[in-house]
Amino acid sequence: MPGVLFFAFFAVVPMVLAFYLSFTSWDGLGDPQPVGLDNWRKLVNDDRMVQSLWLTVLLTAASWVFQTVIALLLGVWAAGRQRNRAVLSAIFFVPFLLSSTAIALLFYALLDPNFGIIQENILGSSSGAFLAIVFVGGWQFIPFHTLIYQGGARQIPEVLYQAAAIDGAGRYRQFFSITLPQLRHTVTTSTVLLVVGSLTYFETVLILTKGGPGTDTAILPYLMYEAGFKSYDFGYASAIASFLVVAATGLSLILVRLTGFGSMRSTREGM
């Protein structure tokens, strides 16, 4: 019951209020005034919305490729029982303990063209700023997804590898024929978390690039921030927030449906 109350108070109630505000005009003062579907029509016809949606999709895809490949390989490696792997894994997980704001401030200082470690204005170019966001996000969240893959890899029965070794299968053959198929539901779990996380990416963009240069890294959460806290158009910001909730939920359901995650036979699959 406490968990249900916590979820209802901190998740359901804010979502319901945001959905209600999406049908109103409110600048933060006075009472919200009903405007019907005006904010949703603005959402559909807003050119910046189209650009931000494309950037969000691009960021999600790039983050998935970058984080999944590295986290999968590290997770399988860290699943070994050797003591040195346990020590290195513990050190590697440290970035996950830091807040997104602290990590963004750290890399903002490191990438400063005057006082940072790289004497180039990486954040001043469109591609450089975008890749910096992808890298910083990966630096923070790859340890988390590595932990998921490590747990999944340890669930694979050792007898499968022993049988494959008797048949003469090498490490690469064992990885592609045993490890990867056995981790298919773990990949789905990691992907759903990564997609939802990418759709709510905000602190890093705000601190590193502020949506720039220009609007080249203004993804949907940053567009929502600008509408709410720069233009004081909380009705339109709530419409963007409601769209993000619907998009994240829809994508998660599609992923679960297409990958067969919902029909797995054991709770040990997919972590």
Side-chain angles (χ1 to χ4, degrees):
M1 182 57 75
V4 173
L5 292 176
F6 184 87
F7 180 76
F9 187 75
F10 289 101
V12 176
V13 171
M15 282 192 290
V16 171
L17 288 176
F19 190 66
Y20 163 72
L21 285 176
S22 70
F23 296 100
T24 67
S25 175
W26 190 45
D27 61 1
L29 298 175
D31 296 327
Q33 300 300 316
V35 293
L37 295 174
D38 286 0
N39 289 320
W40 290 93
R41 292 194 189 94
K42 182 179 178 181
L43 188 75
V44 173
N45 298 317
D46 189 352
D47 292 336
R48 287 200 62 191
M49 176 68 188
V50 176
Q51 182 199 22
S52 295
L53 181 61
W54 167 245
L55 287 172
T56 304
V57 171
L58 203 60
L59 177 66
T60 302
S63 297
W64 184 86
V65 172
F66 179 52
Q67 296 185 30
T68 299
V69 172
I70 296 177
L72 176 60
L73 295 175
L74 285 175
V76 171
W77 175 82
R81 304 292 181 180
Q82 294 86 346
R83 183 173 297 177
N84 65 323
R85 298 191 186 195
V87 173
L88 290 174
S89 297
I91 297 172
F92 181 69
F93 291 140
V94 169
F96 181 61
L97 303 177
L98 304 176
S99 72
S100 299
T101 303
I103 291 174
L105 287 171
L106 170 67
F107 276 93
Y108 183 75
L110 291 175
L111 295 175
D112 187 288
N114 298 313
F115 305 106
I117 58 174
I118 302 175
Q119 302 298 313
E120 292 184 18
N121 190 9
I122 294 177
L123 300 178
S125 69
S126 299
S127 58
F130 183 83
L131 292 175
I133 293 171
V134 173
F135 176 81
V136 173
W139 193 82
Q140 179 181 11
F141 291 111
I142 282 176
F144 171 69
H145 294 282
T146 298
L147 192 63
I148 294 176
Y149 287 116
Q150 182 188 28
R154 285 187 172 175
Q155 303 297 320
I156 301 174
E158 186 64 28
V159 66
L160 296 177
Y161 293 105
Q162 294 171 351
I166 292 174
D167 291 338
R171 286 190 176 184
Y172 293 107
R173 180 66 182 275
Q174 291 179 19
F175 176 79
F176 287 106
S177 299
I178 298 175
T179 306
L180 209 51
Q182 290 291 320
L183 290 178
R184 62 188 185 283
H185 293 312
T186 310
V187 173
T188 304
T189 302
S190 172
T191 299
V192 169
L193 293 172
L194 199 152
V195 168
V196 174
S198 297
L199 289 175
T200 57
Y201 223 49
F202 172 67
E203 299 98 324
T204 304
V205 175
L206 175 67
I207 294 172
L208 273 185
T209 67
K210 293 181 176 57
T215 57
D216 290 344
T217 58
I219 57 176
L220 283 178
Y222 187 80
L223 186 67
M224 176 183 65
Y225 162 78
E226 280 195 332
F229 295 97
K230 286 189 174 181
S231 302
Y232 298 104
D233 187 354
F234 289 102
Y236 185 50
S238 298
I240 299 174
S242 301
F243 173 78
L244 279 170
V245 171
V246 173
T249 305
L251 281 173
S252 300
L253 292 175
I254 290 172
L255 282 170
V256 170
R257 181 75 176 177
L258 291 180
T259 57
F261 183 88
S263 60
M264 65 180 180
R265 290 169 295 178
S266 170
T267 55
R268 297 181 68 184
E269 296 180 68
M271 284 298 293

